[in-house]
């Protein structure tokens, strides 16, 4: 079977454009595109879907093409690519005599000279840098289904279409089917499409071209929309993430067709296909706890380094304060972490940081606003130990020797409220506050006169009453009325009892 595949591939490589179009039309595939695209499409068919009917069609086209040559011998397609007689300068010494093929009558594909150069390998001059994409923490790459390939416009139209055909191997299909569900209908193992700028200088972030649309087989795939912008004059931003194609693909040996529609406005983009396993924030946290914990002694040495006396500085730092409250959620830290590249000692909570980047990946430190990617995060072992030992404080201070001390907020001294004491005497009727005297009976008006007499003892009780003003106003008013009635009784004598105006046994309706 392997020999038949090699033979079929070599026959396809020798086809002209018309032969390739006839072969692709025979299996119902697109016949449009440049020659190298047709060759790629045909080779993928041979690799993943080489049925006996397809192999028979390839041999038929191959024999039909060379049937016109008459006496000329047919090329041997199963031989390696390097001994083609059309490339006489590359004949190996000692090889047997070969019958030269007539160059003008045989149209070898440009792909031979461009990529293979008649040697069966890529020449050094064609090894140009490839487009690379940044690694995504929440996606673990299992297989590369399609290397980053540039989207080449076919004409001068603004809206372009670029097709891609591929098939999954049985192992990849089983990986997808047997993976767990992250949510209903979403598998953990996925086939994702990634798009970026065609820039080879550095790994590229995901970036969508204008007017992007992705069609998988016969259905369009949803693409992340724009974030609404509340600020005037600010264009809405679009989260560029890998596009999950799994739910629209054929999970079998059948070939899948993906068509990317994009706007051609001068910038160059590349697309790639990957088989990935999507991870959750809990899985990333567990991985960070396993491989990303920094030993307390190393953290202590870092504190000493930060507080070391600088002879060139006129200011000596004796300590630095670190809050035990996460700057993200304003809650006490549980898993203190920070980026290795950050210059500060303040930490944030790894749990909430990973959850926020799972929803909207920014990977920016909430303390210094500098990049804090996942592969640079560390868990502060010293601060983790402090959190378990210091439960009553929300802030600590690191000292120059690497030690620490808690900083507790000074609590306001609470004392029970004491109401003012008001001494009520005979001057209360005149609206004057009494002033106690040494003999215990005087008021502002002195001790003489009727007022002074009224301020003395009555029925063996002291003339001055002490009232707590913290009582409610109703009790105060009742006591004041009692005092007024007692004063009136002293001056005018006891009042006669008032008779009830209603007959006995009757109660007024109001």
């Amino acid at each position: 079977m392997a020999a038949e595949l090699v033979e079929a591939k070599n026959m396809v490589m020798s086809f002209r454009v018309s032969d390739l179009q006839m072969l692709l039309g025979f299996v119902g595939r697109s016949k449009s595109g440049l020659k190298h695209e047709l060759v790629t499409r045909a080779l993928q068919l041979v690799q993943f879907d080489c049925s006996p009917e397809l192999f028979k069609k390839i041999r038929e086209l191959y024999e039909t093409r060379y049937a016109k040559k008459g006496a000329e011998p047919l090329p041997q397609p199963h031989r390696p690519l390097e001994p083609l007689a059309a490339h006489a300068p590359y004949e190996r010494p000692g090889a047997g005599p070969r019958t030269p093929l007539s160059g003008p009558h045989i149209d070898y594909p440009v792909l031979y000279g461009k990529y293979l150069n008649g040697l069966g390998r890529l020449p050094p001059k064609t090894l140009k840098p490839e487009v690379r994409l940044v690694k995504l923490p929440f996606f673990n790459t299992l297989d590369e289904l399609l290397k980053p390939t540039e989207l080449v416009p076919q004409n001068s139209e603004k809206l372009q279409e670029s097709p891609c055909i591929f098939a999954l191997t049985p192992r990849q299909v089983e990986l997808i089917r047997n993976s767990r569900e992250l949510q209903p209908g979403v598998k953990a193992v996925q086939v994702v499409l990634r798009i970026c700028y065609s820039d080879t200088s550095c790994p590229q972030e995901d970036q969508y071209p204008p007017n992007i649309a992705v069609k998988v087989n016969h259905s369009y795939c949803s693409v992340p929309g724009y974030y609404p912008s509340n600020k005037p004059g600010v264009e809405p931003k679009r989260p560029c993430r890998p596009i999950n194609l799994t739910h629209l693909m054929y999970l079998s040996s059948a070939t899948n067709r993906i068509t990317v529609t994009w706007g051609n406005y001068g910038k160059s983009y590349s697309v790639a296909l990957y088989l990935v396993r999507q991870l959750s924030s809990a899985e990333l946290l567990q991985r960070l706890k396993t491989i990303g914990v920094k030993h307390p002694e190393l953290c202590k040495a870092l504190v000493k380094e930060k507080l070391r006396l600088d002879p060139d500085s006129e200011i000596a730092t004796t300590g630095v304060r670190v809050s035990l409250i996460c700057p993200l959620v304003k809650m006490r830290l549980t898993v203190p972490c920070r980026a290795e590249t950050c210059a500060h000692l303040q930490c944030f909570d790894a749990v909430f940081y990973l959850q926020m980047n799972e929803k909207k990946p920014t990977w920016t430190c909430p303390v210094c606003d500098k990049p804090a990617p996942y592969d640079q995060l560390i868990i502060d072992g010293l601060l983790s130990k402090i959190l378990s030992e210091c439960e009553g404080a929300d802030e600590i201070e690191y000292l120059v020797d690497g030690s620490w001390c808690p900083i507790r907020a000074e609590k306001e001294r609470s004392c029970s409220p004491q109401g003012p004491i008001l001494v009520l005497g005979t001057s209360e009727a005149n609206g004057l506050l009494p002033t106690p005297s040494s003999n215990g009976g005087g008021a502002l008006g002195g001790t003489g006169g009727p007022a002074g007499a009224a301020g003395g003892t009555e029925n063996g009780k002291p003339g001055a009453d002490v009232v707590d003003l913290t009582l409610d106003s109703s009790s105060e008013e009742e006591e004041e009325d009692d005092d007024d009635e007692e004063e009136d009784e002293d001056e005018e004598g006891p009042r006669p009892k008032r008779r009830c105006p209603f007959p006995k046994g009757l109660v007024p309706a109001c």
Side-chain angles (χ1 to χ4, degrees), residues 385-399:
K385 184 179 179 182
I386 293 173
L387 285 168
S388 61
E389 297 177 359
C390 181
E391 298 181 355
D394 293 336
E395 192 176 14
I396 64 163
E397 182 176 5
Y398 286 124
L399 304 179

Side-chain angles (χ1 to χ4, degrees), residues 11-54:
M11 286 191 290
V12 168
M13 292 289 289
S14 65
F15 282 176
R16 295 169 296 188
V17 174
S18 59
D19 301 328
L20 295 170
Q21 290 176 342
M22 290 180 65
L23 177 62
L24 294 173
F26 174 74
V27 294
R29 297 291 184 259
S30 174
K31 299 184 291 184
S32 61
L34 300 177
K35 184 173 183 179
H36 70 89
E37 295 176 343
L38 300 178
V39 172
T40 304
R41 234 173 277 164
L43 290 177
Q44 288 178 345
L45 284 174
V46 173
Q47 179 68 31
F48 301 111
D49 193 18
C50 190
S51 60
E53 293 79 9
L54 180 63

Side-chain angles (χ1 to χ4, degrees), residues 165-219:
I165 298 176
F166 73 99
L168 297 174
T169 63
R171 183 187 67 86
Q172 295 168 347
V173 173
E174 288 301 317
L175 283 175
I176 296 174
R177 288 180 174 174
N178 297 333
S179 64
R180 63 186 180 89
E181 285 192 350
L182 299 177
Q183 55 187 4
V186 179
K187 291 284 190 178
V189 178
Q190 307 167 0
V191 175
V192 297
L193 174 71
R194 299 186 64 182
I195 309 176
C196 66
Y197 288 128
S198 298
D199 186 0
T200 59
S201 60
C202 62
Q204 297 296 302
E205 300 277 353
D206 290 68
Q207 185 65 46
Y208 296 159
N211 306 327
I212 181 175
V214 179
K215 187 177 182 180
V216 181
N217 296 320
H218 304 289
S219 303

Side-chain angles (χ1 to χ4, degrees), residues 426-445:
T426 56
S427 301
E428 180 68 22
N430 299 328
L432 299 176
L433 295 176
T435 57
S437 62
S438 60
N439 55 9
L444 283 175

